[in-house]
Amino acid sequence: MHDISRRDAVRSIAIAGAAAALPFSAHAQEAFKIGNLAPLSGPAAAFGIGINRGIELAAEDIGVFEVAGKRYRVESVPYDTSLDPGKTVAALNRAVLNDNVRYGFILGAAVHGAVLPIIRQNGFFDIFMGAAGKEITNAENPTVFRFMASSDQLYYTFTPDIYRKLNIKRVAFMGPNNDLGRSDVKVLKDIAASLKSDGVEFVGEELIELNAKDFQAALLRLLARKPDAIDTNASPTGTVGLIAKQARELGYKGYFISSTAVLEARALVNVAGKGADGIIAYRIWSSSPSPLYDQIAERHLQKYKEPTLGTVWEAYAATRWVVEAIQKAGSFETRKVAEVLAQSTFAGHPYGPASWGGDKTYGARRQIQTPLPASIIKDGSWTPLDVRMGKLD
Amino acid sequence: MGLTLFLQALAIGVVNGALYILTALGLTLIYGILHIVNFAHGELYMLGAMLVYLLFVAMEWPLWAAVPVIVALSVLAGFAVERTIFRRLRGQWLQLLVATVGVSLIIQSVSWIAFGAQEKTVPSVLEGVLLLGSVRVPIERLAAASIAMVLVAILYLIVYRTRTGLAMRAIEEDEETARMPRVDTDRVAGIAVALGFALAALGGVFVAPIYSINPGMGLEAILMSFIIIIVGGLGSITGTVVAGLLIGIIQAVGALTLGAEAAHVLVFVAMIAMLVFRPQGLMGRVR
């Protein structure tokens, strides 16, 4: 038998001590799981990847936080939904039943019709990223908070001003053939009808497959009605770029308005090339709105080696704001946190001061209100359009 | 609907149809000679597009160097797949079907990891629009469609004017009989699969600058290819060419007259009508 030297003994004790401490330290910081139910592959993948990164950047800034005497750290749990309602239902069931996830981002108004019953049944806290209106955020869904501008905000408080400013009279719609596209085309028709005295007219609509790549023939039908602007609704970046490119090839010289989408500013120009000029987007900042915005852009570039994806900002703010509300509530009970969150304001949003609205329009204070710009591509670069989103009661 | 609009839709349909044909031809070639329904075919199309992005955009190779490398790689892949999978399972249609689905899933999964999930773009090398009277045809599409048609003609010559083509057609008729006059059926099968893979990859190369690309793009391509080869007649090169153009025109004229959603449905209606009233397709044979 070997004699154990004093040095070996000390080393053994140190290793044993470290090993014993490991589970303790892991236990000392439990994971606060935030699901990310979003497309992580396919044409809309940038939306979901951006949310993941927003959560990660926020988690770095939040660090360890305490709730009811326990220490937690934010952890992102991604689920690829491909923006498909069926896959989103499966992902939410897995998150709630298998992974014990009670808070999560769910991207896409078009998938919400399918998941709202599960959200209501389980009290799941839905950090909703998408547009649409009252059908999602309302008094029946107290744990659903829309952290992005709604279709009502984007259309009613932006669109008429842009039509007037750019002298747009004939409007057409080319958006996805899902729930959101079908609902938003009605909103656009409604706006055009309300602006009839200004000479505005809705001239045609085309609903397209989300994964489609060739729009020439459908555009031909639309362009025959001579629109001044084509609203591309929630179509993702690649789709908007291809629509613009193909419409220009057919001789179209008017505007494109990306009303409810989150676009990747640089990628759009890459896809559409010179045809990108005249694309208007409602949430792209041509000039930085806050120092925090710049700081996140810088960190994103260093960490992920590419420009900030469109959903990063809102995902970052949502993560921080929800964690702040949980801390204030002193509990993870989602309905309690929802009550606290609805009454709060948030100064740490990269777009500027954030608060909640929608009491009158939706019957529930669940609609985020932040400053939001409109920008237009001129000579391949985003330039500000002197219009700001209005307030929603 | 005015004549100008109709002619414009016709031009769109013919050009798109020509691009569909290239990918569908590879599929019908492999089916016609080996009676294998290659579900991995769409992934070869996707790999062609992603490789042109990798070589031409990411690594900044000139296009004239990138395209031959992609063709060479797809030919090698064709020989390898034929040797390691198709040959071993020949005659076992269910096992072959499952194997090609497996190959498809493997290629797609690896591609998502290798190329990432975001849409990618390949810059256009031929910008501008050709005006034919009042009909506008983008030059890059016209060039891609024209090259596709030249490749179709070359394939036609290979199949109908060479000894290898004769052997391919002999195997198509009856593999056992084809073995008798000392036809090296394995070699011919390898060539057929390699040709099919190269055509699919070239299909991807040509559409990469026209559309945006991602590792999931093969699904749409194989779906369209299946529709075309069913309408044209399984294994028929001429049928595939006619059906490709027909489907392209149905899509474009349908979208112009009835809208995008209806046009999408119209293509499937055409396929189902063909299956019901002429199951062998436009130019397929009743076996």
Side-chain angles (χ1 to χ4, degrees), chain A residues 14-332:
Chain A
I15 291 168
L22 262 179
F24 174 77
S25 68
H27 195 72
Q29 289 170 24
E30 282 183 31
F32 166 53
K33 295 177 186 173
I34 299 186
N36 175 21
L37 291 82
L40 298 168
S41 59
F47 294 162
I49 294 168
I51 291 175
N52 249 1
R53 292 178 181 177
I55 300 171
E56 284 171 8
L57 291 171
E60 285 175 10
D61 289 353
I62 294 165
V64 177
F65 65 99
E66 268 192 40
V67 177
K70 280 190 176 177
R71 290 153 66 82
Y72 296 89
R73 192 178 278 279
V74 172
E75 183 186 304
S76 167
V77 188
Y79 303 87
D80 186 4
T81 65
S82 309
L83 263 186
D84 174 76
K87 285 185 184 173
T88 312
V89 166
L92 184 57
N93 278 328
R94 192 149 59 91
V96 172
L97 302 173
N98 292 4
D99 303 340
N100 198 26
V101 173
R102 285 182 290 164
Y103 288 75
F105 287 79
I106 303 182
L107 188 134
V111 304
H112 266 74
V115 294
L116 281 173
I118 306 170
I119 290 170
R120 281 195 289 268
Q121 190 183 353
N122 295 285
F124 185 84
F125 195 102
D126 177 8
I127 305 170
F128 169 35
M129 302 283 268
K134 194 177 182 175
E135 63 273 32
I136 297 174
T137 43
N138 55 49
E140 284 179 22
N141 303 320
T143 59
V144 179
F145 284 76
R146 182 164 27 225
F147 277 82
M148 284 183 157
S150 69
S151 294
D152 300 301
Q153 282 174 303
L154 292 167
Y155 275 117
Y156 289 112
T157 71
F158 256 133
T159 307
D161 288 347
I162 286 173
Y163 288 178
R164 282 185 205 109
K165 193 175 176 62
L166 299 174
N167 196 29
I168 292 168
K169 302 290 182 195
R170 297 174 67 80
V171 190
F173 181 93
M174 185 174 242
N177 63 350
N178 55 26
D179 285 358
L180 181 64
R182 287 176 204 284
S183 131
D184 281 352
V185 71
K186 288 179 194 158
V187 175
L188 194 62
K189 282 178 184 171
D190 188 38
I191 288 172
S194 71
L195 297 172
K196 198 176 175 183
S197 56
D198 295 341
V200 175
E201 189 185 351
F202 185 85
V203 296
E205 66 185 85
E206 284 295 329
L207 293 166
I208 51 176
E209 289 286 316
L210 193 67
N211 292 321
K213 302 262 185 201
D214 199 294
F215 310 101
Q216 280 205 323
L219 277 165
L220 196 58
R221 180 180 161 92
L222 220 50
L223 299 187
R225 292 159 194 180
K226 309 219 175 303
D228 299 322
I230 299 173
D231 191 307
T232 53
N233 191 241
S235 303
T237 303
T239 305
V240 176
L242 289 174
I243 289 173
K245 180 183 174 187
Q246 293 169 21
R248 299 293 187 220
E249 286 170 351
L250 290 170
Y252 176 64
K253 292 189 168 52
Y255 297 103
F256 302 92
I257 302 179
S258 173
S259 47
T260 56
V262 184
L263 297 183
E264 305 307 326
R266 190 176 294 181
L268 187 61
V269 180
N270 287 346
V271 177
K274 289 174 188 161
D277 276 13
I279 295 178
I280 297 161
Y282 286 174
R283 56 172 89 229
I284 286 178
W285 295 89
S286 330
S287 54
S288 163
S290 71
L292 178 61
Y293 187 95
D294 291 330
Q295 189 214 91
I296 290 174
E298 180 62 33
R299 282 169 61 196
H300 187 282
L301 190 63
Q302 279 186 3
K303 193 174 166 89
Y304 304 107
K305 313 291 177 217
E306 64 177 351
T308 318
L309 298 178
T311 49
V312 168
W313 322 100
E314 281 144 322
Y316 172 88
T319 306
R320 295 210 63 177
W321 200 352
V322 168
V323 168
E324 200 176 281
I326 290 169
Q327 286 181 282
K328 275 185 198 163
S331 159
F332 287 101

Side-chain angles (χ1 to χ4, degrees), chain B residues 20-260:
Chain B
Y20 295 153
I21 289 167
L22 206 57
T23 311
L25 265 184
L27 194 64
T28 209
L29 186 71
I30 294 170
Y31 179 83
I33 291 160
L34 300 170
H35 305 296
I36 293 169
V37 181
N38 179 22
F39 276 92
H41 204 71
E43 308 319 327
L44 266 298
Y45 166 87
M46 175 272 289
L47 279 178
M50 298 310 287
L51 283 174
V52 82
Y53 169 80
L54 182 74
L55 298 176
F56 179 56
V57 180
M59 295 170 72
E60 298 180 0
W61 284 26
L63 204 56
W64 59 261
V67 176
V69 168
I70 294 167
V71 172
L73 286 174
S74 55
V75 165
L76 282 176
F79 278 117
V81 168
E82 193 281 327
R83 181 72 185 85
T84 54
I85 301 171
F86 291 178
R87 194 178 300 177
R88 286 165 191 262
L89 297 174
R90 206 177 294 171
Q92 303 171 62
W93 70 271
L94 185 61
Q95 286 85 337
L96 270 167
L97 197 91
V98 174
T100 60
V101 171
V103 170
S104 164
L105 291 175
I106 290 167
I107 294 175
Q108 205 182 120
S109 303
V110 172
S111 300
W112 282 117
I113 295 164
F115 296 112
Q118 286 200 57
E119 290 282 298
K120 302 199 165 30
T121 52
V122 174
S124 179
V125 283
L126 292 168
E127 289 188 5
V129 172
L130 185 71
L131 272 171
L132 301 167
S134 53
V135 173
R136 301 171 68 91
V137 186
I139 293 170
E140 66 177 3
R141 285 183 186 236
L142 188 65
S146 305
I147 298 171
M149 285 295 106
V150 170
L151 290 170
V152 170
I154 293 171
L155 181 75
Y156 200 87
L157 288 175
I158 291 173
V159 174
Y160 291 100
R161 295 282 185 271
T162 65
R163 284 186 64 80
T164 305
L166 184 67
M168 284 179 184
R169 284 180 288 133
I171 297 171
E172 184 189 0
E173 287 295 327
D174 182 355
E175 187 173 341
E176 289 305 313
T177 315
R179 282 182 198 279
M180 291 167 68
R182 293 186 188 160
V183 172
D184 184 349
T185 52
D186 289 342
R187 184 180 144 271
V188 174
I191 292 171
V193 176
L195 269 175
F197 276 31
L199 287 170
L202 280 170
V205 168
F206 290 148
V207 300
I210 297 173
Y211 306 126
S212 57
I213 59 175
N214 70 59
M217 66 190 278
L219 186 67
E220 186 79 13
I222 196 157
L223 186 66
M224 187 54 74
S225 297
F226 274 130
I227 293 171
I228 288 169
I229 68 170
I230 287 169
V231 172
L234 291 170
S236 165
I237 293 177
T238 316
T240 301
V241 173
V242 174
L245 293 173
L246 195 66
I247 295 290
I249 292 168
I250 287 175
Q251 264 189 331
V253 177
L256 175 65
T257 51
L258 304 169

